[in-house]
Amino acid sequence: MKNEQKSPARDVAVAEKDNFLLRLLGGIEKVGNKLPHPFWLFIIIAGVVLALSGILAYFGVSATSPADGSEIAVQSLLTEEGLHRIITEAVPNFVSFPPLGIIIVVMLGVAVAENSGLIAAAIRGVVTKVSPKWLTFTLALTGITGSVASDAIYVVLIPLGAVIFKSVGRSPILGAIVAFGSASAGYNASLLITASDPLLAGLTTAGANLIEPDYVVSPIANYFFTAASAVVLALIVTLVTETVLVRTTKNMKEDPAEDGSDDQINESLTPRVVERKGLRNTAVALVVMVALFTAALAIPSSPFRGEDGGILTSPLMTGVAVVIGVVFLILGTVYGLTVGTITAPRDIPPFMARGVKELGPIIVLFFAAAQFIAYFKWSELGPIIAIKGAELIEQAEVPTLVLYAAVVLLVCTMNIFITSGSAQWALMAPVLVPMLMLLGTDPEVTQVLFRMGDSPTNVISPMSPYFALALGYIQKYKSSAGIGTLMSLTLPISISLLVGWFLFFMLWYAIGLPLGPGVPVR
């Protein structure tokens, strides 16, 4: 009787909670829907930059460079010379945009690995072979590292997670949430180099060039930190799942399965003999390539050493985007030849073309972003805003880690409305990177701060198309599930990863470990 009396009150509390979440998400969605497409957002902001350059130049706004004491004045682009430059340099701005060539080169290789079936088979092979005791952690780590498959990770891993959990007698809803939460909230961490690494590095380079024209951020500049973060975030997801989410899903009554569809899916997910042979051959090829790469850098007389004989100046390191693309190309080809998805050399170029085709929306966005960054640079607004902002922060005497926390919170707030990481960083990098450079923070560190703020809120943003995708998969097992249901399951992951990741960064910062090869954290 006692439990029966408490049940209505509990139901009311749950209903009120869901209503609050629905109102909150409705407000976020309403505001987000009013934002223009990122392409038009950059065009609008580029127009604002043009207008500001004319107004501020008229009033003689300037700043003193802390580097050499020279005076930097705003340059108006609303002059005859400026207008000519806008038209004649539009194409060079686009072609020389740092992330453009890098992301295309990397995707040429990644597309072969993806279309040959290697990436999907590797994900299946990892998740389906693990013991139940390690299932949650393995699924989480696979989801986080799965960003190497770009957005395809959501389509592959969410239903896979649900089926695998159900096959061991656990809630399929919980499995879907672990897969979605880790792949989405942990997107910017990975055990492997992913396509987003050169993309972010190119945008960070463009921001750094506003202060130091020759500064280059390597695609592997954050690798040590992101690889270690992948394990830490997987542990956090596991802890939250086993202590919080398992209790939440325990009381969720699932709909009965229809037509034994889960069993059919489960059978289709079992790696075939030929797939196992393909993965084995691919693993051998990977070991051989790692050995060759190590030898090329380790041998003192190697032609692949830098001009000064150094490792960090080696063309293999400075041109690591090409190396990444070639590695994925070779691994994808080896797998494809083994399983039959590649039968002749002529099969490879169409795979590459498919990968470039998928970059179409990003390339369109890059055209507008390249013009915005070019105008920002020509007008000198970037350095001036950075100098003035740095002076204000310096006068306020904000502790370094407090400043970093503020940057992370700013990024995660914006990410709820602008879910495209490349669009958001293209917008923020020209301001944040040079400003923090003037305060003694390297661009690579600022890029890490962006990573930590960008990922965790992906999983709770209704503006993300994969939020709706995850909800659709959950409704397969519980048709009455709504946005409030999904939010109640993903919010603990989002908050835990946001806080836990920054705490891990603080530890990394305190110890002084490098973020990547030759990249100090402070």
Side-chain angles (χ1 to χ4, degrees):
M1 288 293 293
K2 197 172 183 180
N3 288 337
E4 288 178 5
Q5 290 173 352
K6 283 187 176 181
S7 182
R10 189 185 302 115
D11 290 343
V12 170
V14 171
E16 289 179 351
K17 179 182 176 182
D18 279 355
N19 286 335
F20 171 75
L21 288 172
L22 286 170
R23 288 196 300 270
L24 177 63
L25 285 172
I28 291 172
E29 190 171 11
K30 187 176 181 181
V31 172
N33 285 335
K34 289 185 177 180
L35 290 174
H37 185 281
F39 175 86
W40 295 115
L41 187 62
F42 279 113
I43 294 296
I44 291 169
I45 296 175
V48 172
V49 168
L50 293 178
L52 280 177
S53 71
I55 295 170
L56 297 180
Y58 177 80
F59 288 102
V61 174
S62 64
T64 302
S65 170
D68 54 13
S70 62
E71 196 72 12
I72 302 175
V74 176
Q75 302 297 313
S76 175
L77 300 180
L78 299 179
T79 61
E80 183 178 344
E81 181 183 354
L83 294 175
H84 288 181
R85 192 175 188 184
I86 289 170
I87 297 171
T88 59
E89 296 192 29
V91 173
N93 290 341
F94 179 49
V95 174
S96 62
F97 192 48
L100 180 62
I102 293 175
I103 190 65
I104 290 177
V105 168
V106 171
M107 280 305 297
L108 288 176
V110 172
V112 175
E114 183 175 352
N115 288 287
S116 68
L118 170 60
I119 292 177
I123 291 172
R124 287 198 301 268
V126 169
V127 177
T128 56
K129 289 295 183 182
V130 71
S131 69
K133 185 171 66 173
W134 290 95
L135 183 57
T136 304
F137 174 77
T138 304
L139 181 60
L141 187 59
T142 303
I144 292 168
T145 301
S147 55
V148 69
S150 191
D151 293 347
I153 185 62
Y154 297 105
V155 179
V156 173
L157 200 62
I158 296 176
L160 178 61
V163 170
I164 295 298
F165 263 56
K166 188 169 185 177
S167 69
V168 297
R170 303 192 68 181
S171 167
I173 295 176
L174 186 62
I177 289 298
V178 172
F180 173 55
S182 55
S184 186
Y187 194 84
N188 280 335
S190 175
L191 292 176
L192 305 173
I193 300 296
T194 71
S196 64
D197 291 303
L199 176 59
L200 294 180
L203 293 169
T204 306
T205 296
N209 290 160
L210 295 175
I211 298 294
E212 295 185 29
D214 298 325
Y215 202 103
V216 177
V217 177
S218 168
I220 58 173
N222 296 156
Y223 178 68
F224 294 163
F225 180 74
T226 54
S229 294
V231 178
V232 172
L233 297 186
L235 288 171
I236 294 174
V237 171
T238 302
L239 181 63
V240 172
T241 299
E242 302 301 340
T243 59
V244 178
L245 300 184
V246 71
R247 293 203 305 268
T248 305
T249 56
K250 186 177 181 180
N251 297 324
M252 289 185 178
K253 187 176 180 181
E254 299 162 17
D255 299 338
E258 298 178 2
D259 304 325
S261 57
D262 286 341
D263 294 334
Q264 294 172 8
I265 294 174
N266 198 26
E267 288 177 7
S268 70
L269 294 173
T270 303
R272 298 171 296 171
V273 174
V274 67
E275 283 189 348
R276 289 199 294 269
K277 183 179 179 182
L279 291 174
R280 185 168 59 248
N281 291 347
T282 303
V284 171
L286 179 60
V287 170
V288 171
M289 282 191 291
V290 169
L292 292 174
F293 184 82
T294 303
L297 293 177
I299 299 174
S301 58
S302 170
F304 291 101
R305 285 285 194 114
E307 292 183 2
D308 57 355
I311 292 177
L312 294 178
T313 55
S314 163
L316 294 177
M317 298 297 284
T318 56
V320 72
V322 176
V323 175
I324 294 169
V326 170
V327 168
F328 276 108
L329 170 63
I330 294 175
L331 295 181
T333 302
V334 169
Y335 180 84
L337 289 172
T338 304
V339 303
T341 52
I342 295 176
T343 58
R346 65 175 177 271
D347 296 331
I348 297 176
F351 286 170
M352 292 179 168
R354 203 175 299 169
V356 174
K357 181 180 178 181
E358 292 173 358
L359 289 176
I362 293 178
I363 293 174
V364 171
L365 178 66
F366 278 1
F367 177 80
Q371 309 311 318
F372 156 68
I373 291 177
Y375 301 167
F376 209 59
K377 182 177 181 179
W378 298 342
S379 67
E380 300 289 2
L381 283 173
I384 291 174
I385 292 174
I387 292 169
K388 296 294 185 182
E391 287 175 353
L392 287 174
I393 294 172
E394 202 166 21
Q395 290 170 6
E397 297 182 348
V398 178
T400 301
L401 289 176
V402 174
L403 173 62
Y404 289 172
V407 170
V408 171
L409 288 175
L410 174 64
V411 172
C412 75
T413 301
M414 286 191 64
N415 186 58
I416 293 177
F417 303 100
I418 305 176
T419 55
S420 168
S422 57
Q424 186 184 354
W425 191 225
L427 191 63
M428 301 183 77
V431 176
L432 288 181
V433 172
M435 182 176 72
L436 293 183
M437 283 178 73
L438 294 174
L439 291 170
T441 296
D442 289 339
E444 294 86 351
V445 179
T446 307
Q447 182 174 276
V448 162
L449 299 178
F450 172 77
R451 287 179 182 273
M452 291 188 291
D454 177 60
S455 283
T457 45
N458 284 339
V459 77
I460 60 172
S461 174
M463 303 305 298
S464 168
Y466 302 107
F467 187 87
L469 178 69
L471 181 58
Y473 280 122
I474 290 175
Q475 287 175 336
K476 174 184 174 182
Y477 297 98
K478 184 177 174 62
S479 58
S480 61
I483 292 178
T485 306
L486 182 57
M487 275 291 290
S488 68
L489 295 171
T490 56
L491 193 59
I493 293 177
S494 177
I495 294 174
S496 299
L497 290 190
L498 181 63
V499 175
W501 202 356
F502 189 75
L503 291 175
F504 178 63
F505 170 77
M506 290 176 64
L507 177 63
W508 193 282
Y509 184 86
I511 297 173
L513 298 173
L515 296 174
V519 181
V521 70
R522 51 183 169 84

